[in-house]
Amino acid sequence: MRLLIRGGHVIDPDTGKDGIFDVLVENGTISRVEKELSDMGAEPGDMRVIDGRGLYVMPGFVDLHVHLRDPGQEYKETLATGGRAAARGGVTTICAMPNTRPVTDSPEMIRSQSERAKAECPVHVSFVGAVTKGQKGEELTNMAAMKREGMRCISEDGKSVMDAKLYRKAMEIAAKEDILILAHCEDGNMIKDTVIVNESDFSRGLGLSGVTNGVEDIIAARDILLAKETGARLHLCHCSTKDSVEMVRLAKEAGALVTAEVCPHHFLLSDEDIPGDDGNYKMNPPLRKREDVEALVDGLKKGIIDVIATDHAPHSEKDKEGGFRKAACGIVGLETSLSLAMTELVHKGVLTPMELVKRMSLTPSRILGVDKGSLAEGKCADLVLVDPEREFVIRKEDFVSKGKNTPFDGKKVKGMVVMTIVDGEIVYDEKEGLLK
Ligand code: DOR
Ligand code: ZN
Ligand code: ZN
Protein backbone atom coordinates (compact mmCIF):
# COMPACT_ATOMS: atom_id res chain seq x y z
CA MET A 1 0.00 0.00 0.00
CA ARG A 2 1.28 3.42 -0.96
CA LEU A 3 0.45 6.43 1.15
CA LEU A 4 0.29 10.00 -0.01
CA ILE A 5 0.12 12.60 2.73
CA ARG A 6 -1.08 15.69 0.97
CA GLY A 7 -0.52 19.28 2.03
CA GLY A 8 0.81 18.70 5.55
CA HIS A 9 3.27 20.96 7.34
CA VAL A 10 6.48 18.89 7.26
CA ILE A 11 8.78 19.54 10.19
CA ASP A 12 12.01 17.62 9.80
CA PRO A 13 15.17 18.70 11.58
CA ASP A 14 17.29 16.29 9.55
CA THR A 15 16.57 17.87 6.16
CA GLY A 16 15.65 21.27 7.62
CA LYS A 17 12.25 21.18 5.90
CA ASP A 18 9.70 23.38 7.66
CA GLY A 19 6.79 24.06 5.31
CA ILE A 20 3.97 22.59 3.27
CA PHE A 21 4.96 19.45 1.35
CA ASP A 22 3.43 16.27 0.01
CA VAL A 23 4.97 13.06 1.30
CA LEU A 24 4.86 9.83 -0.67
CA VAL A 25 5.46 6.58 1.19
CA GLU A 26 6.22 3.45 -0.81
CA ASN A 27 7.43 0.01 0.27
CA GLY A 28 7.86 1.13 3.87
CA THR A 29 10.12 4.04 2.99
CA ILE A 30 9.77 7.74 2.36
CA SER A 31 10.12 7.93 -1.38
CA ARG A 32 9.40 11.58 -2.16
CA VAL A 33 8.91 14.81 -0.25
CA GLU A 34 8.00 17.60 -2.65
CA LYS A 35 5.73 20.55 -3.17
CA GLU A 36 2.47 19.48 -4.83
CA LEU A 37 3.55 15.96 -5.50
CA SER A 38 -0.13 15.10 -5.76
CA ASP A 39 -0.21 16.47 -9.28
CA MET A 40 2.73 14.35 -10.36
CA GLY A 41 2.81 10.97 -8.71
CA ALA A 42 -0.66 10.33 -7.44
CA GLU A 43 -2.54 7.57 -9.12
CA PRO A 44 -5.70 5.92 -7.88
CA GLY A 45 -5.61 2.25 -7.03
CA ASP A 46 -3.40 1.04 -4.29
CA MET A 47 -2.71 4.55 -3.08
CA ARG A 48 -4.29 5.86 0.11
CA VAL A 49 -4.43 9.63 0.13
CA ILE A 50 -4.31 11.28 3.55
CA ASP A 51 -5.39 14.88 3.96
CA GLY A 52 -2.54 16.49 5.87
CA ARG A 53 -3.87 20.04 5.73
CA GLY A 54 -3.59 21.73 9.11
CA LEU A 55 -1.42 18.94 10.47
CA TYR A 56 2.26 18.68 11.32
CA VAL A 57 4.00 15.80 9.58
CA MET A 58 6.93 14.78 11.74
CA PRO A 59 9.32 11.85 12.02
CA GLY A 60 7.93 9.36 14.57
CA PHE A 61 9.03 9.94 18.13
CA VAL A 62 11.83 7.93 19.72
CA ASP A 63 11.35 7.33 23.44
CA LEU A 64 14.55 6.26 25.16
CA HIS A 65 12.81 5.33 28.42
CA VAL A 66 9.90 2.90 28.60
CA HIS A 67 8.95 0.06 30.97
CA LEU A 68 7.01 -2.71 29.24
CA ARG A 69 6.77 -5.11 32.26
CA ASP A 70 6.93 -8.09 29.94
CA PRO A 71 7.95 -10.76 30.91
CA GLY A 72 6.79 -11.21 34.45
CA GLN A 73 4.30 -8.46 35.22
CA GLU A 74 1.93 -8.72 32.31
CA TYR A 75 -0.91 -7.51 34.51
CA LYS A 76 0.76 -4.07 34.35
CA GLU A 77 1.68 -4.03 30.62
CA THR A 78 2.72 -6.31 27.77
CA LEU A 79 4.77 -5.88 24.63
CA ALA A 80 1.47 -5.58 22.75
CA THR A 81 -0.32 -3.10 25.03
CA GLY A 82 2.79 -0.98 25.60
CA GLY A 83 3.42 -0.94 21.86
CA ARG A 84 -0.15 0.15 21.19
CA ALA A 85 0.19 2.91 23.78
CA ALA A 86 3.33 4.05 21.97
CA ALA A 87 1.50 4.06 18.63
CA ARG A 88 -1.29 6.15 20.15
CA GLY A 89 1.31 8.60 21.41
CA GLY A 90 3.08 8.99 18.07
CA VAL A 91 6.09 7.04 19.35
CA THR A 92 7.51 4.70 16.72
CA THR A 93 10.67 3.49 18.48
CA ILE A 94 11.08 2.71 22.17
CA CYS A 95 13.84 1.54 24.47
CA ALA A 96 12.48 -1.09 26.85
CA MET A 97 14.11 -1.05 30.28
CA PRO A 98 15.44 -4.32 31.71
CA ASN A 99 13.76 -4.34 35.15
CA THR A 100 11.43 -7.12 34.06
CA ARG A 101 10.89 -10.44 35.90
CA PRO A 102 13.30 -12.04 35.27
CA VAL A 103 15.64 -9.14 34.61
CA THR A 104 16.71 -8.77 30.98
CA ASP A 105 20.35 -9.65 31.56
CA SER A 106 21.37 -12.29 29.02
CA PRO A 107 21.85 -12.55 25.25
CA GLU A 108 19.11 -15.19 25.15
CA MET A 109 16.61 -12.77 26.66
CA ILE A 110 17.60 -9.96 24.32
CA ARG A 111 17.13 -12.32 21.39
CA SER A 112 13.80 -13.80 22.48
CA GLN A 113 12.37 -10.43 23.48
CA SER A 114 13.40 -8.88 20.18
CA GLU A 115 11.82 -11.74 18.24
CA ARG A 116 8.60 -11.50 20.23
CA ALA A 117 8.43 -7.72 19.78
CA LYS A 118 8.63 -8.07 15.99
CA ALA A 119 5.51 -10.24 16.11
CA GLU A 120 3.58 -8.61 18.95
CA CYS A 121 4.48 -4.96 19.08
CA PRO A 122 3.37 -2.41 16.47
CA VAL A 123 6.41 -0.16 17.01
CA HIS A 124 10.17 -0.73 16.95
CA VAL A 125 11.64 -1.83 20.27
CA SER A 126 15.28 -1.69 21.32
CA PHE A 127 15.74 -3.87 24.39
CA VAL A 128 18.07 -2.55 27.07
CA GLY A 129 20.25 -5.04 28.95
CA ALA A 130 20.95 -4.80 32.67
CA VAL A 131 24.41 -3.74 33.85
CA THR A 132 24.59 -6.46 36.51
CA LYS A 133 23.06 -9.93 36.64
CA GLY A 134 19.60 -9.78 38.16
CA GLN A 135 20.24 -6.06 38.84
CA LYS A 136 21.85 -7.21 42.06
CA GLY A 137 24.83 -4.89 41.71
CA GLU A 138 27.35 -7.71 42.11
CA GLU A 139 28.38 -9.30 38.83
CA LEU A 140 28.46 -7.69 35.37
CA THR A 141 26.33 -9.10 32.58
CA ASN A 142 27.89 -10.25 29.31
CA MET A 143 27.44 -6.96 27.46
CA ALA A 144 29.41 -7.96 24.36
CA ALA A 145 27.23 -11.06 23.89
CA MET A 146 24.04 -9.04 24.40
CA LYS A 147 25.30 -6.53 21.85
CA ARG A 148 25.71 -9.33 19.33
CA GLU A 149 21.96 -9.96 19.74
CA GLY A 150 21.22 -6.36 18.81
CA MET A 151 21.35 -4.63 22.21
CA ARG A 152 22.40 -0.99 21.96
CA CYS A 153 22.28 0.18 25.58
CA ILE A 154 22.62 -1.01 29.14
CA SER A 155 20.93 0.30 32.25
CA GLU A 156 20.29 -0.59 35.88
CA ASP A 157 17.16 1.58 35.78
CA GLY A 158 15.17 1.57 38.99
CA LYS A 159 18.42 2.03 40.90
CA SER A 160 22.11 2.78 40.49
CA VAL A 161 25.04 0.37 40.59
CA MET A 162 26.41 1.54 43.94
CA ASP A 163 29.80 -0.15 43.63
CA ALA A 164 31.72 2.54 41.73
CA LYS A 165 34.59 0.18 40.91
CA LEU A 166 32.20 -2.29 39.31
CA TYR A 167 30.39 0.49 37.43
CA ARG A 168 33.71 1.81 36.16
CA LYS A 169 34.51 -1.65 34.81
CA ALA A 170 31.08 -1.69 33.10
CA MET A 171 31.84 1.69 31.54
CA GLU A 172 35.21 0.48 30.25
CA ILE A 173 33.53 -2.43 28.50
CA ALA A 174 30.71 -0.19 27.23
CA ALA A 175 33.27 2.24 25.80
CA LYS A 176 35.15 -0.58 24.07
CA GLU A 177 31.96 -2.17 22.69
CA ASP A 178 30.36 1.21 21.85
CA ILE A 179 27.35 0.55 24.08
CA LEU A 180 25.34 3.46 25.45
CA ILE A 181 24.76 3.66 29.22
CA LEU A 182 21.36 4.88 30.42
CA ALA A 183 21.93 6.02 33.98
CA HIS A 184 19.29 6.17 36.71
CA CYS A 185 21.08 8.33 39.29
CA GLU A 186 20.11 7.61 42.88
CA ASP A 187 22.32 7.01 45.89
CA GLY A 188 21.06 3.73 47.32
CA ASN A 189 22.46 4.49 50.77
CA MET A 190 20.89 7.92 51.06
CA ILE A 191 17.39 6.59 50.39
CA LYS A 192 17.45 4.03 53.21
CA ASP A 193 14.48 4.58 55.55
CA THR A 194 12.99 7.25 53.28
CA VAL A 195 9.87 7.47 51.17
CA ILE A 196 10.33 8.57 47.53
CA VAL A 197 8.94 12.09 47.77
CA ASN A 198 10.86 15.36 47.70
CA GLU A 199 11.83 16.55 51.16
CA SER A 200 9.53 19.55 51.53
CA ASP A 201 6.69 21.06 53.51
CA PHE A 202 4.47 18.56 51.73
CA SER A 203 6.47 15.52 52.88
CA ARG A 204 6.86 16.90 56.41
CA GLY A 205 3.12 17.56 56.51
CA LEU A 206 2.49 13.88 55.86
CA GLY A 207 5.11 12.92 58.43
CA LEU A 208 7.31 11.33 55.76
CA SER A 209 11.07 11.26 55.62
CA GLY A 210 11.64 12.34 52.00
CA VAL A 211 14.66 12.54 49.71
CA THR A 212 16.79 15.55 48.77
CA ASN A 213 18.34 16.56 45.45
CA GLY A 214 21.66 15.20 46.68
CA VAL A 215 20.36 11.65 46.23
CA GLU A 216 20.40 12.25 42.47
CA ASP A 217 23.19 14.80 42.18
CA ILE A 218 25.87 12.75 43.94
CA ILE A 219 25.47 9.84 41.54
CA ALA A 220 25.07 12.09 38.48
CA ALA A 221 28.43 13.66 39.38
CA ARG A 222 30.04 10.28 39.96
CA ASP A 223 28.74 8.85 36.70
CA ILE A 224 29.85 11.87 34.68
CA LEU A 225 33.35 11.62 36.17
CA LEU A 226 33.52 7.91 35.39
CA ALA A 227 32.33 8.53 31.83
CA LYS A 228 35.08 11.12 31.41
CA GLU A 229 37.68 8.70 32.72
CA THR A 230 36.57 5.75 30.61
CA GLY A 231 35.35 7.48 27.45
CA ALA A 232 31.96 5.77 27.77
CA ARG A 233 28.81 7.30 26.25
CA LEU A 234 26.59 8.22 29.18
CA HIS A 235 22.96 9.29 28.99
CA LEU A 236 21.41 10.58 32.22
CA CYS A 237 17.84 9.34 32.61
CA HIS A 238 15.02 11.49 33.98
CA CYS A 239 17.04 14.50 35.21
CA SER A 240 15.03 16.24 37.90
CA THR A 241 17.34 18.69 39.67
CA LYS A 242 18.84 22.07 38.78
CA ASP A 243 22.33 20.87 39.62
CA SER A 244 22.04 17.86 37.33
CA VAL A 245 21.36 20.29 34.46
CA GLU A 246 24.40 22.33 35.46
CA MET A 247 26.56 19.22 35.67
CA VAL A 248 25.48 18.11 32.21
CA ARG A 249 26.36 21.56 30.91
CA LEU A 250 29.83 21.38 32.44
CA ALA A 251 30.36 17.80 31.26
CA LYS A 252 29.53 18.77 27.68
CA GLU A 253 31.80 21.80 27.91
CA ALA A 254 34.59 19.49 29.04
CA GLY A 255 34.01 17.26 26.01
CA ALA A 256 32.58 14.23 27.85
CA LEU A 257 30.17 12.05 25.85
CA VAL A 258 27.25 12.94 28.09
CA THR A 259 23.62 13.49 27.10
CA ALA A 260 20.50 13.91 29.21
CA GLU A 261 16.76 13.47 29.21
CA VAL A 262 13.87 15.03 31.07
CA CYS A 263 10.35 13.62 31.48
CA PRO A 264 7.17 15.67 30.98
CA HIS A 265 6.16 15.33 34.64
CA HIS A 266 9.46 16.80 35.77
CA PHE A 267 9.34 19.84 33.48
CA LEU A 268 5.68 20.41 34.23
CA LEU A 269 4.99 19.72 37.89
CA SER A 270 6.72 20.71 41.11
CA ASP A 271 6.19 19.33 44.61
CA GLU A 272 3.84 22.27 45.20
CA ASP A 273 1.44 20.81 42.62
CA ILE A 274 0.88 17.61 44.59
CA PRO A 275 -2.75 17.87 45.73
CA GLY A 276 -2.56 15.39 48.60
CA ASP A 277 -1.46 11.89 49.54
CA ASP A 278 -2.08 10.55 46.03
CA GLY A 279 0.10 7.74 44.64
CA ASN A 280 -0.35 9.06 41.10
CA TYR A 281 2.12 11.81 42.03
CA LYS A 282 4.72 9.33 43.23
CA MET A 283 7.56 8.57 40.88
CA ASN A 284 11.32 8.15 41.08
CA PRO A 285 12.96 10.65 40.96
CA PRO A 286 10.21 12.62 42.71
CA LEU A 287 8.66 15.93 41.70
CA ARG A 288 11.11 18.61 42.83
CA LYS A 289 11.02 22.29 43.72
CA ARG A 290 9.75 25.04 41.43
CA GLU A 291 13.36 26.24 40.89
CA ASP A 292 14.32 22.77 39.66
CA VAL A 293 11.39 22.73 37.22
CA GLU A 294 12.49 26.13 35.89
CA ALA A 295 16.07 24.88 35.44
CA LEU A 296 14.84 21.83 33.53
CA VAL A 297 12.74 23.97 31.18
CA ASP A 298 15.69 26.29 30.69
CA GLY A 299 17.95 23.27 30.05
CA LEU A 300 15.53 22.03 27.39
CA LYS A 301 15.39 25.44 25.77
CA LYS A 302 19.17 25.78 25.65
CA GLY A 303 19.68 22.22 24.43
CA ILE A 304 21.66 21.22 27.54
CA ILE A 305 18.92 18.66 27.99
CA ASP A 306 18.94 16.77 24.71
CA VAL A 307 15.87 14.62 24.92
CA ILE A 308 12.31 14.32 26.19
CA ALA A 309 11.58 10.74 27.28
CA THR A 310 8.62 9.44 29.25
CA ASP A 311 9.82 6.85 31.82
CA HIS A 312 6.47 5.22 30.98
CA ALA A 313 5.95 3.15 34.13
CA PRO A 314 2.60 1.37 34.09
CA HIS A 315 1.26 -0.07 37.36
CA SER A 316 -2.07 -1.59 38.35
CA GLU A 317 -4.54 0.41 40.38
CA LYS A 318 -3.81 -1.78 43.39
CA ASP A 319 -0.05 -1.22 43.10
CA LYS A 320 -0.66 2.54 43.27
CA GLU A 321 -2.85 2.42 46.37
CA GLY A 322 -1.83 3.48 49.88
CA GLY A 323 -0.62 7.02 49.19
CA PHE A 324 3.06 7.97 49.17
CA ARG A 325 3.99 5.46 51.88
CA LYS A 326 2.89 2.39 49.97
CA ALA A 327 2.35 3.17 46.28
CA ALA A 328 4.76 1.86 43.63
CA CYS A 329 6.87 4.53 41.91
CA GLY A 330 6.07 5.67 38.40
CA ILE A 331 3.46 7.02 36.03
CA VAL A 332 2.47 6.22 32.45
CA GLY A 333 3.63 8.63 29.78
CA LEU A 334 3.52 7.29 26.22
CA GLU A 335 0.02 8.53 25.44
CA THR A 336 0.41 11.99 26.92
CA SER A 337 3.96 13.15 26.18
CA LEU A 338 3.35 14.87 22.84
CA SER A 339 0.24 16.68 24.06
CA LEU A 340 1.89 17.80 27.29
CA ALA A 341 5.01 18.98 25.46
CA MET A 342 2.95 20.83 22.84
CA THR A 343 0.87 22.51 25.54
CA GLU A 344 3.63 23.44 27.95
CA LEU A 345 6.60 23.97 25.65
CA VAL A 346 5.46 24.82 22.12
CA HIS A 347 2.29 26.79 22.79
CA LYS A 348 4.04 28.66 25.60
CA GLY A 349 6.92 29.59 23.31
CA VAL A 350 9.69 27.63 25.07
CA LEU A 351 10.47 25.43 22.04
CA THR A 352 9.63 25.78 18.37
CA PRO A 353 7.91 22.76 16.79
CA MET A 354 11.25 22.05 15.07
CA GLU A 355 13.10 22.05 18.40
CA LEU A 356 10.44 19.79 19.88
CA VAL A 357 10.90 17.23 17.10
CA LYS A 358 14.64 17.34 17.69
CA ARG A 359 14.16 16.53 21.39
CA MET A 360 11.57 13.83 20.75
CA SER A 361 12.82 12.21 17.56
CA LEU A 362 16.07 13.12 15.81
CA THR A 363 18.34 13.54 18.83
CA PRO A 364 17.18 10.44 20.75
CA SER A 365 17.51 8.50 17.50
CA ARG A 366 21.11 9.66 17.11
CA ILE A 367 21.91 8.95 20.76
CA LEU A 368 20.51 5.44 20.37
CA GLY A 369 22.40 5.04 17.11
CA VAL A 370 19.45 4.11 14.90
CA ASP A 371 18.68 5.51 11.48
CA LYS A 372 15.36 7.11 12.48
CA GLY A 373 14.11 10.58 13.25
CA SER A 374 14.30 11.77 9.66
CA LEU A 375 11.95 12.39 6.76
CA ALA A 376 14.72 12.37 4.16
CA GLU A 377 13.90 10.47 1.00
CA GLY A 378 14.90 6.82 1.29
CA LYS A 379 14.51 6.69 5.08
CA CYS A 380 12.23 4.25 6.84
CA ALA A 381 8.67 5.60 6.89
CA ASP A 382 8.08 6.11 10.61
CA LEU A 383 5.91 9.20 10.82
CA VAL A 384 3.47 10.98 13.03
CA LEU A 385 0.71 13.41 12.13
CA VAL A 386 -0.06 15.95 14.83
CA ASP A 387 -2.91 18.43 14.99
CA PRO A 388 -1.26 21.35 16.79
CA GLU A 389 -4.51 23.21 17.46
CA ARG A 390 -6.69 20.36 18.65
CA GLU A 391 -7.76 20.80 22.27
CA PHE A 392 -8.93 17.92 24.41
CA VAL A 393 -9.03 16.66 27.96
CA ILE A 394 -6.73 13.77 28.94
CA ARG A 395 -8.86 10.92 30.22
CA LYS A 396 -7.18 7.85 31.63
CA GLU A 397 -10.09 5.65 30.48
CA ASP A 398 -9.03 6.43 26.91
CA PHE A 399 -5.53 4.97 27.42
CA VAL A 400 -4.76 1.77 25.59
CA SER A 401 -1.93 1.11 28.03
CA LYS A 402 -2.94 -1.18 30.86
CA GLY A 403 -1.58 1.48 33.20
CA LYS A 404 -4.01 4.26 34.08
CA ASN A 405 -1.65 5.77 36.63
CA THR A 406 -1.28 9.40 35.66
CA PRO A 407 -1.47 12.71 37.51
CA PHE A 408 -2.70 14.32 34.26
CA ASP A 409 -6.18 12.78 34.20
CA GLY A 410 -8.62 15.64 33.53
CA LYS A 411 -5.93 18.04 32.28
CA LYS A 412 -6.85 20.15 29.27
CA VAL A 413 -4.18 20.07 26.56
CA LYS A 414 -3.66 21.46 23.08
CA GLY A 415 -1.96 19.33 20.42
CA MET A 416 -2.96 15.80 19.49
CA VAL A 417 -1.48 12.83 17.68
CA VAL A 418 -3.93 11.94 14.93
CA MET A 419 -1.99 9.31 12.99
CA THR A 420 1.08 7.15 13.47
CA ILE A 421 2.82 5.27 10.69
CA VAL A 422 5.49 2.59 11.23
CA ASP A 423 7.45 1.18 8.28
CA GLY A 424 4.89 2.70 5.94
CA GLU A 425 1.90 1.13 7.68
CA ILE A 426 -0.73 3.03 9.61
CA VAL A 427 -0.61 1.67 13.18
CA TYR A 428 -2.82 4.35 14.73
CA ASP A 429 -5.56 6.50 13.29
CA GLU A 430 -7.44 8.71 15.69
CA LYS A 431 -10.61 8.56 13.62
CA GLU A 432 -10.58 4.79 13.21
CA GLY A 433 -9.03 3.93 16.55
CA LEU A 434 -6.05 1.62 16.81
CA LEU A 435 -5.41 -0.40 13.73
CA LYS A 436 -2.69 -2.69 14.96
O1 DOR B 1 9.21 5.96 38.83
C1 DOR B 1 9.90 5.04 38.42
N1 DOR B 1 9.35 3.88 38.01
N2 DOR B 1 11.20 5.18 38.41
C2 DOR B 1 12.03 4.18 38.14
O2 DOR B 1 13.21 4.38 38.16
C3 DOR B 1 11.50 2.82 37.85
C4 DOR B 1 10.13 2.90 37.34
C5 DOR B 1 9.44 1.57 37.37
O3 DOR B 1 10.02 0.55 36.94
O4 DOR B 1 8.27 1.52 37.79
ZN1 ZN C 1 14.81 5.36 36.59
ZN1 ZN D 1 12.53 4.08 34.38
Side-chain angles (χ1 to χ4, degrees):
M1 174 69 120
R2 298 195 297 163
L3 299 175
L4 175 64
I5 306 163
R6 200 182 257 164
H9 182 159
V10 169
I11 302 178
D12 177 27
D14 192 31
T15 59
K17 285 197 171 80
D18 187 351
I20 307 298
F21 292 90
D22 291 345
V23 179
L24 182 66
V25 170
E26 287 178 300
N27 303 321
T29 58
I30 308 219
S31 64
R32 298 168 78 176
V33 182
E34 288 169 34
K35 300 251 175 218
E36 307 208 25
L37 186 59
S38 41
D39 293 334
M40 293 147 48
E43 292 158 22
D46 72 336
M47 171 112 72
R48 169 152 175 196
V49 180
I50 297 158
D51 185 1
R53 284 174 303 169
L55 304 178
Y56 288 161
V57 181
M58 298 164 155
F61 305 132
V62 177
D63 190 337
L64 296 181
H65 198 142
V66 170
H67 296 270
L68 288 179
R69 311 300 190 202
D70 184 350
Q73 292 176 307
E74 291 86 352
Y75 70 98
K76 295 185 197 240
E77 196 79 292
T78 65
L79 298 186
T81 59
R84 287 157 67 91
R88 186 163 179 264
V91 179
T92 52
T93 299
I94 56 182
C95 284
M97 284 297 187
N99 62 338
T100 45
R101 313 272 168 88
V103 169
T104 306
D105 61 1
S106 67
E108 294 76 24
M109 276 193 77
I110 296 285
R111 187 193 318 146
S112 67
Q113 291 287 83
S114 305
E115 277 167 13
R116 275 189 57 214
K118 282 201 185 95
E120 296 170 31
C121 193
V123 304
H124 304 288
V125 189
S126 180
F127 287 92
V128 181
V131 181
T132 69
K133 289 187 181 160
Q135 290 192 298
K136 290 202 176 85
E138 291 160 5
E139 196 187 336
L140 296 183
T141 54
N142 189 341
M143 292 176 226
M146 290 196 286
K147 183 172 179 191
R148 285 195 290 275
E149 296 297 341
M151 183 200 74
R152 295 176 170 276
C153 8
I154 52 165
S155 181
E156 203 83 332
D157 190 51
K159 55 179 144 179
S160 292
V161 176
M162 283 310 294
D163 180 340
K165 190 172 178 192
L166 189 68
Y167 206 39
R168 190 183 188 288
K169 183 77 204 158
M171 286 207 193
E172 272 175 4
I173 298 168
K176 184 162 156 275
E177 298 287 336
D178 194 25
I179 293 168
L180 172 71
I181 299 166
L182 306 173
H184 168 118
C185 299
E186 178 183 30
D187 188 305
N189 297 314
M190 284 181 78
I191 59 164
K192 279 182 192 143
D193 304 315
T194 67
V195 167
I196 302 298
V197 57
N198 206 31
E199 180 127 299
S200 62
D201 289 342
F202 172 76
S203 67
R204 283 184 285 273
L206 288 179
L208 303 175
S209 167
V211 299
T212 59
N213 286 14
V215 168
E216 175 171 329
D217 296 338
I218 286 168
I219 300 297
R222 180 200 74 170
D223 289 2
I224 288 169
L225 293 171
L226 290 176
K228 266 168 79 175
E229 266 189 20
T230 58
R233 285 192 292 131
L234 177 74
H235 177 76
L236 297 188
C237 294
H238 43 50
C239 288
S240 74
T241 69
K242 63 179 194 325
D243 287 319
S244 68
V245 181
E246 179 60 7
M247 285 188 277
V248 170
R249 189 184 71 75
L250 291 170
K252 287 180 170 179
E253 215 173 79
L257 303 178
V258 173
T259 54
E261 80 192 18
V262 65
C263 304
H265 45 278
H266 289 129
F267 69 66
L268 226 145
L269 298 173
S270 79
D271 56 8
E272 291 166 29
D273 298 310
I274 306 174
D277 194 8
D278 178 350
N280 281 322
Y281 288 80
K282 183 178 179 187
M283 68 289 286
N284 192 9
L287 299 175
R288 303 285 190 185
K289 293 192 195 69
R290 188 48 46 201
E291 64 187 33
D292 294 300
V293 175
E294 282 162 13
L296 295 170
V297 171
D298 190 54
L300 263 175
K301 193 174 168 63
K302 291 182 177 144
I304 299 166
I305 303 276
D306 305 85
V307 161
I308 296 170
T310 61
D311 197 4
H312 177 80
H315 291 292
S316 70
E317 214 165 301
K318 194 153 184 295
D319 293 334
K320 291 298 276 181
E321 279 172 3
F324 275 85
R325 268 187 190 80
K326 293 239 171 69
C329 285
I331 61 168
V332 288
L334 282 169
E335 294 173 76
T336 51
S337 61
L338 177 277
S339 298
L340 293 170
M342 281 294 295
T343 308
E344 299 297 323
L345 302 175
V346 174
H347 290 303
K348 290 189 176 168
V350 177
L351 298 182
T352 62
M354 184 67 89
E355 287 166 336
L356 183 74
V357 186
K358 262 194 201 158
R359 309 276 187 281
M360 290 187 72
S361 181
L362 181 63
T363 305
S365 162
R366 289 199 172 145
I367 291 171
L368 184 60
V370 292
D371 193 18
K372 308 277 184 198
S374 164
L375 296 181
E377 291 172 356
K379 297 283 181 181
C380 137
D382 289 353
L383 312 141
V384 57
L385 269 55
V386 169
D387 184 341
E389 299 302 321
R390 178 90 164 261
E391 292 184 83
F392 70 103
V393 174
I394 293 172
R395 290 194 317 176
K396 62 182 181 188
E397 310 86 73
D398 296 340
F399 291 170
V400 295
S401 166
K402 286 194 185 184
K404 313 294 176 197
N405 46 312
T406 177
F408 298 115
D409 187 39
K411 184 177 167 67
K412 199 171 161 200
V413 286
K414 186 172 175 181
M416 184 195 242
V417 171
V418 294
M419 188 177 281
T420 307
I421 296 166
V422 173
D423 287 333
E425 258 191 74
I426 301 171
V427 294
Y428 173 69
D429 181 337
E430 190 254 324
K431 286 201 197 84
E432 294 178 25
L434 275 170
L435 297 178
K436 216 171 163 187

